[in-house]
Amino acid sequence: MAVVLGIETSCDETGVGIVVDGRPAGEALASSMAEHVRYGGVVPEIAARAHLEALMPCVTEAFAVAGMTPSDVDAVAVTAGPGLATALQTGVAAAKAFSLAWDVPLYGVHHLAGHVAADTLEHGPLPERCVALIVSGGHTSLLRVDDLARDPIVHLGDTRDDAAGEAFDKVARLLGLAYPGGPSVSRAALDGDPHAIAFPRAMPGSHDFSFSGLKAAVARHVERGPVSVADVAASFQEAVVDVLAGKAVAACHEQGIDTLVMVGGVAANHRLRELAAERCGTAGITLRVPPPRLCTDNGAMIAAVGGLLHAAGAPACPLDLPVDPSAPLTRASIVR
Ligand code: KG4
Ligand code: ZN
């Protein structure tokens, strides 16, 4: 039995999770979101200070929920990138201290591999091969994932400009809705007509994404005069999820892969989940999406990657493991 403690501090959520043989045993989450709202985005220094304050209470809580103590832990995993440098540092420093004090291996984990592994906490091990759509605040990628712990991750498509979550956040600002934009835009969209405005779907036929033209189209529409916020929100959301679901299904076809894993903060979006389920159903593709609380940042998803690396016999990271704020996604672990 392998017990892994995972720590996530790449952005504004302080997440700690304990995973036992790939299953979540105890989790704790703190967020500095409320402190960033009035700035319309995450302020790195505020986030880093909040992580410092929240980290130990979260570790204590995760152990309490799991009914465990540090002596039960076999490995420590931490997000080493990508993310905000000062925020990442707080988690990595803590993880190094735990690794040293408890004499257990340390694994530096790529945040996005954590998002992919989040699904295993709910639905068990990933199949031999799958296509993963990662849609978060900072990233939008279509990946081919084989053995997450052992094989390189293949990028089938990436965004050329804004990430999907970033588009939600920017459009929320244009519409005067609260940050973070995803939840507030999708709430506003509930009362709107998704076909009211024909917003553009960029880069048809490509696996790459572009959302800056869509954002500009929303801005032009809003500038032209009084608008129905609900209709704009619904039409914008429909344009985003139509592109995401369409390209993900096309990538599965092209790769001859019948499992799609959809992860990251935007995968919490109700309409995206609904449309992807519909399109995958028609195409005979098995859709795996974690529950919303595991789509957004958390510590258990990082522990899940640590568990896979540990089981695969991956080498532990040295205690001088650096953070890598712009780490490219090539492998689940981050090693120098
Ligand atoms: O994965 P995540 O928690 O953090 C990053 O790694 O970026 O994703 C955060 C992003 C934000 O841009 C937020 O607006 C978006 O996920 N998001 C949503 C929803 N919930 C969160 N976007 C659309 N619909 C949602 N329900
Ligand atoms: Zn994330």
Side-chain angles (χ1 to χ4, degrees), residues 84-109:
L84 305 169
T86 50
L88 289 165
Q89 284 290 5
T90 60
V92 167
K96 287 175 179 175
F98 292 141
S99 165
L100 189 65
W102 303 339
D103 193 23
V104 294
L106 171 72
Y107 296 106
V109 167

mmCIF file of all heavy atoms in Angstrom, residues 84-109:
data_model
loop_
_atom_site.group_PDB
_atom_site.id
_atom_site.type_symbol
_atom_site.label_atom_id
_atom_site.label_comp_id
_atom_site.label_asym_id
_atom_site.label_seq_id
_atom_site.Cartn_x
_atom_site.Cartn_y
_atom_site.Cartn_z
ATOM 1 N N LEU A 84 2.643 30.408 -10.869
ATOM 2 C CA LEU A 84 3.252 31.646 -10.375
ATOM 3 C C LEU A 84 4.493 31.278 -9.557
ATOM 4 O O LEU A 84 4.407 30.453 -8.640
ATOM 5 C CB LEU A 84 2.258 32.408 -9.489
ATOM 6 C CG LEU A 84 0.901 32.729 -10.140
ATOM 7 C CD1 LEU A 84 -0.078 33.245 -9.093
ATOM 8 C CD2 LEU A 84 1.081 33.753 -11.263
ATOM 9 N N ALA A 85 5.630 31.906 -9.871
ATOM 10 C CA ALA A 85 6.900 31.495 -9.266
ATOM 11 C C ALA A 85 6.863 31.519 -7.731
ATOM 12 O O ALA A 85 7.214 30.524 -7.079
ATOM 13 C CB ALA A 85 8.031 32.384 -9.783
ATOM 14 N N THR A 86 6.421 32.618 -7.158
ATOM 15 C CA THR A 86 6.454 32.727 -5.688
ATOM 16 C C THR A 86 5.448 31.772 -5.051
ATOM 17 O O THR A 86 5.679 31.245 -3.957
ATOM 18 C CB THR A 86 6.146 34.165 -5.236
ATOM 19 O OG1 THR A 86 4.956 34.608 -5.882
ATOM 20 C CG2 THR A 86 7.288 35.105 -5.582
ATOM 21 N N ALA A 87 4.349 31.548 -5.736
ATOM 22 C CA ALA A 87 3.330 30.624 -5.221
ATOM 23 C C ALA A 87 3.873 29.193 -5.250
ATOM 24 O O ALA A 87 3.760 28.443 -4.263
ATOM 25 C CB ALA A 87 2.051 30.742 -6.047
ATOM 26 N N LEU A 88 4.487 28.816 -6.376
ATOM 27 C CA LEU A 88 5.069 27.472 -6.494
ATOM 28 C C LEU A 88 6.122 27.244 -5.410
ATOM 29 O O LEU A 88 6.214 26.153 -4.826
ATOM 30 C CB LEU A 88 5.730 27.303 -7.869
ATOM 31 C CG LEU A 88 4.805 27.206 -9.085
ATOM 32 C CD1 LEU A 88 5.610 27.419 -10.371
ATOM 33 C CD2 LEU A 88 4.102 25.849 -9.124
ATOM 34 N N GLN A 89 6.930 28.283 -5.148
ATOM 35 C CA GLN A 89 8.024 28.151 -4.181
ATOM 36 C C GLN A 89 7.533 27.724 -2.801
ATOM 37 O O GLN A 89 8.197 26.932 -2.122
ATOM 38 C CB GLN A 89 8.788 29.480 -4.035
ATOM 39 C CG GLN A 89 9.730 29.805 -5.178
ATOM 40 C CD GLN A 89 10.948 28.897 -5.233
ATOM 41 O OE1 GLN A 89 11.065 27.939 -4.464
ATOM 42 N NE2 GLN A 89 11.844 29.181 -6.165
ATOM 43 N N THR A 90 6.391 28.245 -2.380
ATOM 44 C CA THR A 90 5.912 27.919 -1.027
ATOM 45 C C THR A 90 5.612 26.432 -0.911
ATOM 46 O O THR A 90 6.000 25.784 0.062
ATOM 47 C CB THR A 90 4.655 28.731 -0.653
ATOM 48 O OG1 THR A 90 3.630 28.443 -1.586
ATOM 49 C CG2 THR A 90 4.932 30.228 -0.643
ATOM 50 N N GLY A 91 4.958 25.879 -1.921
ATOM 51 C CA GLY A 91 4.624 24.455 -1.882
ATOM 52 C C GLY A 91 5.862 23.582 -2.009
ATOM 53 O O GLY A 91 5.999 22.572 -1.301
ATOM 54 N N VAL A 92 6.767 23.970 -2.906
ATOM 55 C CA VAL A 92 7.972 23.168 -3.131
ATOM 56 C C VAL A 92 8.870 23.186 -1.886
ATOM 57 O O VAL A 92 9.423 22.156 -1.492
ATOM 58 C CB VAL A 92 8.725 23.657 -4.395
ATOM 59 C CG1 VAL A 92 10.118 23.060 -4.482
ATOM 60 C CG2 VAL A 92 7.925 23.305 -5.648
ATOM 61 N N ALA A 93 8.963 24.344 -1.246
ATOM 62 C CA ALA A 93 9.783 24.430 -0.027
ATOM 63 C C ALA A 93 9.217 23.520 1.061
ATOM 64 O O ALA A 93 9.963 22.793 1.740
ATOM 65 C CB ALA A 93 9.843 25.878 0.463
ATOM 66 N N ALA A 94 7.905 23.533 1.212
ATOM 67 C CA ALA A 94 7.275 22.683 2.225
ATOM 68 C C ALA A 94 7.488 21.204 1.889
ATOM 69 O O ALA A 94 7.830 20.397 2.765
ATOM 70 C CB ALA A 94 5.779 22.998 2.313
ATOM 71 N N ALA A 95 7.306 20.861 0.625
ATOM 72 C CA ALA A 95 7.441 19.456 0.209
ATOM 73 C C ALA A 95 8.865 18.952 0.437
ATOM 74 O O ALA A 95 9.068 17.802 0.868
ATOM 75 C CB ALA A 95 7.049 19.307 -1.265
ATOM 76 N N LYS A 96 9.847 19.804 0.168
ATOM 77 C CA LYS A 96 11.243 19.413 0.409
ATOM 78 C C LYS A 96 11.475 19.158 1.893
ATOM 79 O O LYS A 96 12.149 18.182 2.280
ATOM 80 C CB LYS A 96 12.191 20.518 -0.067
ATOM 81 C CG LYS A 96 12.309 20.624 -1.571
ATOM 82 C CD LYS A 96 13.179 21.834 -1.933
ATOM 83 C CE LYS A 96 13.339 21.938 -3.442
ATOM 84 N NZ LYS A 96 14.077 23.164 -3.815
ATOM 85 N N ALA A 97 10.917 20.025 2.729
ATOM 86 C CA ALA A 97 11.089 19.864 4.173
ATOM 87 C C ALA A 97 10.467 18.549 4.646
ATOM 88 O O ALA A 97 11.058 17.818 5.446
ATOM 89 C CB ALA A 97 10.468 21.054 4.913
ATOM 90 N N PHE A 98 9.276 18.247 4.145
ATOM 91 C CA PHE A 98 8.612 16.993 4.534
ATOM 92 C C PHE A 98 9.416 15.781 4.053
ATOM 93 O O PHE A 98 9.585 14.807 4.789
ATOM 94 C CB PHE A 98 7.190 16.927 3.955
ATOM 95 C CG PHE A 98 6.236 17.922 4.552
ATOM 96 C CD1 PHE A 98 5.294 18.574 3.765
ATOM 97 C CD2 PHE A 98 6.267 18.211 5.912
ATOM 98 C CE1 PHE A 98 4.410 19.485 4.314
ATOM 99 C CE2 PHE A 98 5.379 19.123 6.475
ATOM 100 C CZ PHE A 98 4.453 19.762 5.671
ATOM 101 N N SER A 99 9.886 15.863 2.814
ATOM 102 C CA SER A 99 10.653 14.755 2.252
ATOM 103 C C SER A 99 11.892 14.469 3.100
ATOM 104 O O SER A 99 12.215 13.310 3.399
ATOM 105 C CB SER A 99 11.051 15.099 0.810
ATOM 106 O OG SER A 99 12.060 14.241 0.352
ATOM 107 N N LEU A 100 12.549 15.542 3.518
ATOM 108 C CA LEU A 100 13.762 15.408 4.319
ATOM 109 C C LEU A 100 13.431 14.893 5.731
ATOM 110 O O LEU A 100 14.047 13.952 6.231
ATOM 111 C CB LEU A 100 14.438 16.781 4.411
ATOM 112 C CG LEU A 100 15.837 16.837 5.016
ATOM 113 C CD1 LEU A 100 16.831 16.082 4.129
ATOM 114 C CD2 LEU A 100 16.287 18.298 5.166
ATOM 115 N N ALA A 101 12.408 15.498 6.345
ATOM 116 C CA ALA A 101 12.072 15.158 7.729
ATOM 117 C C ALA A 101 11.501 13.751 7.846
ATOM 118 O O ALA A 101 11.764 13.048 8.823
ATOM 119 C CB ALA A 101 11.066 16.174 8.280
ATOM 120 N N TRP A 102 10.716 13.344 6.846
ATOM 121 C CA TRP A 102 10.065 12.030 6.937
ATOM 122 C C TRP A 102 10.878 10.955 6.217
ATOM 123 O O TRP A 102 10.470 9.789 6.199
ATOM 124 C CB TRP A 102 8.648 12.088 6.324
ATOM 125 C CG TRP A 102 7.743 13.122 6.943
ATOM 126 C CD1 TRP A 102 7.879 13.710 8.180
ATOM 127 C CD2 TRP A 102 6.570 13.710 6.349
ATOM 128 N NE1 TRP A 102 6.875 14.622 8.388
ATOM 129 C CE2 TRP A 102 6.047 14.640 7.288
ATOM 130 C CE3 TRP A 102 5.905 13.543 5.137
ATOM 131 C CZ2 TRP A 102 4.901 15.402 7.038
ATOM 132 C CZ3 TRP A 102 4.757 14.291 4.880
ATOM 133 C CH2 TRP A 102 4.271 15.217 5.826
ATOM 134 N N ASP A 103 11.967 11.370 5.564
ATOM 135 C CA ASP A 103 12.833 10.447 4.844
ATOM 136 C C ASP A 103 12.067 9.641 3.794
ATOM 137 O O ASP A 103 12.118 8.407 3.755
ATOM 138 C CB ASP A 103 13.538 9.508 5.846
ATOM 139 C CG ASP A 103 14.681 8.742 5.186
ATOM 140 O OD1 ASP A 103 15.190 9.219 4.152
ATOM 141 O OD2 ASP A 103 15.032 7.660 5.693
ATOM 142 N N VAL A 104 11.333 10.374 2.947
ATOM 143 C CA VAL A 104 10.576 9.732 1.856
ATOM 144 C C VAL A 104 10.915 10.450 0.549
ATOM 145 O O VAL A 104 11.328 11.619 0.555
ATOM 146 C CB VAL A 104 9.042 9.789 2.100
ATOM 147 C CG1 VAL A 104 8.652 8.950 3.308
ATOM 148 C CG2 VAL A 104 8.559 11.231 2.258
ATOM 149 N N PRO A 105 10.750 9.763 -0.602
ATOM 150 C CA PRO A 105 11.082 10.399 -1.882
ATOM 151 C C PRO A 105 10.192 11.598 -2.197
ATOM 152 O O PRO A 105 9.021 11.646 -1.791
ATOM 153 C CB PRO A 105 10.894 9.272 -2.909
ATOM 154 C CG PRO A 105 10.129 8.201 -2.232
ATOM 155 C CD PRO A 105 10.347 8.352 -0.758
ATOM 156 N N LEU A 106 10.789 12.524 -2.950
ATOM 157 C CA LEU A 106 10.088 13.733 -3.389
ATOM 158 C C LEU A 106 9.861 13.651 -4.901
ATOM 159 O O LEU A 106 10.789 13.316 -5.645
ATOM 160 C CB LEU A 106 10.965 14.953 -3.068
ATOM 161 C CG LEU A 106 10.529 16.303 -3.636
ATOM 162 C CD1 LEU A 106 9.296 16.820 -2.901
ATOM 163 C CD2 LEU A 106 11.665 17.328 -3.531
ATOM 164 N N TYR A 107 8.638 13.938 -5.343
ATOM 165 C CA TYR A 107 8.347 13.979 -6.774
ATOM 166 C C TYR A 107 7.861 15.364 -7.170
ATOM 167 O O TYR A 107 6.858 15.836 -6.633
ATOM 168 C CB TYR A 107 7.287 12.931 -7.155
ATOM 169 C CG TYR A 107 7.750 11.514 -6.937
ATOM 170 C CD1 TYR A 107 7.260 10.759 -5.873
ATOM 171 C CD2 TYR A 107 8.687 10.930 -7.785
ATOM 172 C CE1 TYR A 107 7.697 9.458 -5.658
ATOM 173 C CE2 TYR A 107 9.132 9.634 -7.582
ATOM 174 C CZ TYR A 107 8.631 8.916 -6.521
ATOM 175 O OH TYR A 107 9.076 7.634 -6.318
ATOM 176 N N GLY A 108 8.574 16.013 -8.080
ATOM 177 C CA GLY A 108 8.131 17.285 -8.655
ATOM 178 C C GLY A 108 7.204 16.979 -9.820
ATOM 179 O O GLY A 108 7.584 16.285 -10.756
ATOM 180 N N VAL A 109 5.989 17.474 -9.741
ATOM 181 C CA VAL A 109 4.948 17.083 -10.692
ATOM 182 C C VAL A 109 4.557 18.261 -11.573
ATOM 183 O O VAL A 109 4.499 19.404 -11.124
ATOM 184 C CB VAL A 109 3.715 16.573 -9.896
ATOM 185 C CG1 VAL A 109 2.492 16.446 -10.786
ATOM 186 C CG2 VAL A 109 4.036 15.247 -9.216
#
